[in-house]
Amino acid sequence: MRKGKEELGISGRNGEKRMRQEKYQEVILFDIPALFENGRVTQAILPDGIYSYDLRGYDSDPGWPYAVEEKVMVNHAGTILTAVPLSLSENGYLRLGEEMDFTGGMASIQEYQEKMKSRKLPNEIEKAENAIGRADEFLILGGQADRYAIYQIDETSKAKEYMFMCFEFLTSHGMSVDGADYQYIYGGRLLGQETLESLFERFNLRHPENYGGHSLSISDVVVVQRDKHTEAYYVDSIGYIQLPDFISQRKEYVEKLYKRQDMLVNE
């Protein structure tokens, strides 16, 4: 295990220089490049533009991180250094899920900063926000911040029978939308006066860099959370149909999914 700053005796100006030159493990966290350190790293010794966040481990396995927080005192599972500021949720943490991968590389903070110079910060923030929502859908299904999410039919589910079909087709064939039959495709912060129409235009003409779905189409569902109020809309052939049960259906599905994931860690 790598030693932390205190164990290495790093302090003062020389200590700061050594810390910046030290090699850290490279990771992809919430779809953005970052650095990982086993020990603790104090924000005060870091150069401008580098942010430090703590990882919290499970009680059953403190070394296995499940959340990103500003400061962790118990079950500290490592430190993340990143050039992209993370917006912690109203709960003060971000669920990690499967959103951290070790790349196998090593880099100093200076080397990392050089790599990040070619990337546009707004694009990196947008990618991170999407991954944050992917790791914790509850931020979109009932959180506090203004957000949006796009869902598309899981082609292995029964809903494939009405994929790309208008809402009238469903009702005329005795079918109904079920949130469990959909997959989270993309989401993020809802900006300014963004509307369903502006989202439709954006996800048809200007796909984000890491968007993996098809262009927003009939049978897709758009969830919009604004002013702490969350609503779901079915994209129809003309306009949108509000789905009053989609949010509760999706919450039930996600809750079961997260419980299964946590049980695997705690076994």
Side-chain angles (χ1 to χ4, degrees):
M1 180 175 289
R2 302 266 306 288
K3 293 184 178 181
K5 174 181 73 71
E6 295 84 355
E7 294 174 273
L8 291 170
I10 295 174
S11 61
R13 185 172 299 176
N14 291 334
E16 292 177 22
K17 183 177 180 180
R18 285 176 57 194
M19 179 62 75
R20 295 176 190 179
Q21 293 176 341
E22 187 181 359
K23 299 285 186 176
Y24 301 89
Q25 295 182 70
E26 294 180 295
V27 298
I28 299 297
L29 176 82
F30 297 128
D31 283 351
I32 57 175
L35 300 176
F36 171 85
E37 163 61 38
N38 277 321
R40 298 180 184 272
V41 180
T42 305
Q43 179 70 53
I45 71 170
L46 295 173
D48 292 340
I50 296 294
Y51 304 88
S52 172
Y53 300 94
D54 284 354
L55 298 175
R56 181 181 295 278
Y58 285 87
D59 288 339
S60 60
D61 188 350
W64 190 314
Y66 78 89
V68 179
E69 303 181 26
E70 185 173 348
K71 190 70 174 178
V72 171
M73 300 305 295
V74 179
N75 292 350
H76 183 268
T79 302
I80 289 295
L81 306 177
T82 173
V84 181
L86 301 176
S87 297
L88 301 182
S89 73
E90 55 271 18
N91 297 321
Y93 68 90
L94 297 174
R95 179 184 172 88
L96 189 57
E98 299 179 352
E99 298 300 329
M100 188 175 78
D101 295 308
F102 288 84
T103 68
M106 301 288 290
S108 67
I109 292 176
Q110 291 176 330
E111 291 169 337
Y112 168 70
Q113 286 181 304
E114 284 297 318
K115 291 181 181 180
M116 295 299 290
K117 280 183 179 180
S118 62
R119 296 172 178 259
K120 295 181 179 179
L121 185 58
N123 292 346
E124 297 302 295
I125 291 176
E126 181 179 22
K127 288 195 296 184
E129 286 292 344
N130 168 55
I132 287 168
R134 187 170 62 215
D136 189 354
E137 279 191 48
F138 287 117
L139 296 177
I140 294 168
L141 299 173
Q144 303 295 311
D146 291 354
R147 293 178 178 270
Y148 74 91
I150 292 172
Y151 293 84
Q152 293 176 347
I153 289 174
D154 180 349
E155 295 187 39
T156 65
S157 74
K158 63 182 183 298
K160 65 181 180 181
E161 296 181 8
Y162 63 82
M163 193 172 186
F164 302 126
M165 297 295 181
C166 65
F167 198 75
E168 184 181 1
F169 177 88
L170 274 75
T171 55
S172 64
H173 287 75
M175 294 185 285
S176 60
V177 175
D178 187 338
D181 293 332
Y182 279 72
Q183 292 179 319
Y184 173 97
I185 299 298
Y186 199 89
R189 296 279 179 161
L190 198 61
L191 305 177
Q193 298 303 309
E194 213 157 25
T195 64
L196 290 172
E197 290 300 333
S198 66
L199 288 172
F200 184 86
E201 178 181 333
R202 179 183 176 197
F203 285 92
N204 271 273
L205 303 178
R206 302 183 302 278
H207 291 175
E209 180 182 336
N210 60 333
Y211 181 68
H214 56 248
S215 292
L216 197 58
S217 305
I218 297 171
S219 78
D220 294 347
V221 172
V222 181
V223 171
V224 175
Q225 182 171 269
R226 194 190 299 275
D227 297 328
K228 302 179 184 180
H229 184 64
T230 311
E231 294 179 332
Y233 298 89
Y234 186 92
V235 180
D236 209 2
S237 53
I238 300 178
Y240 306 85
I241 303 295
Q242 190 168 350
L243 301 172
D245 298 325
F246 187 89
I247 302 300
S248 59
Q249 292 167 348
R250 193 68 195 175
K251 281 182 176 179
E252 182 179 358
Y253 170 81
V254 172
E255 186 175 46
K256 291 179 180 178
L257 175 64
Y258 290 170
K259 282 184 178 179
R260 288 199 300 269
Q261 291 176 349
D262 292 345
M263 284 177 63
L264 290 175
V265 175
N266 292 316
E267 285 182 351

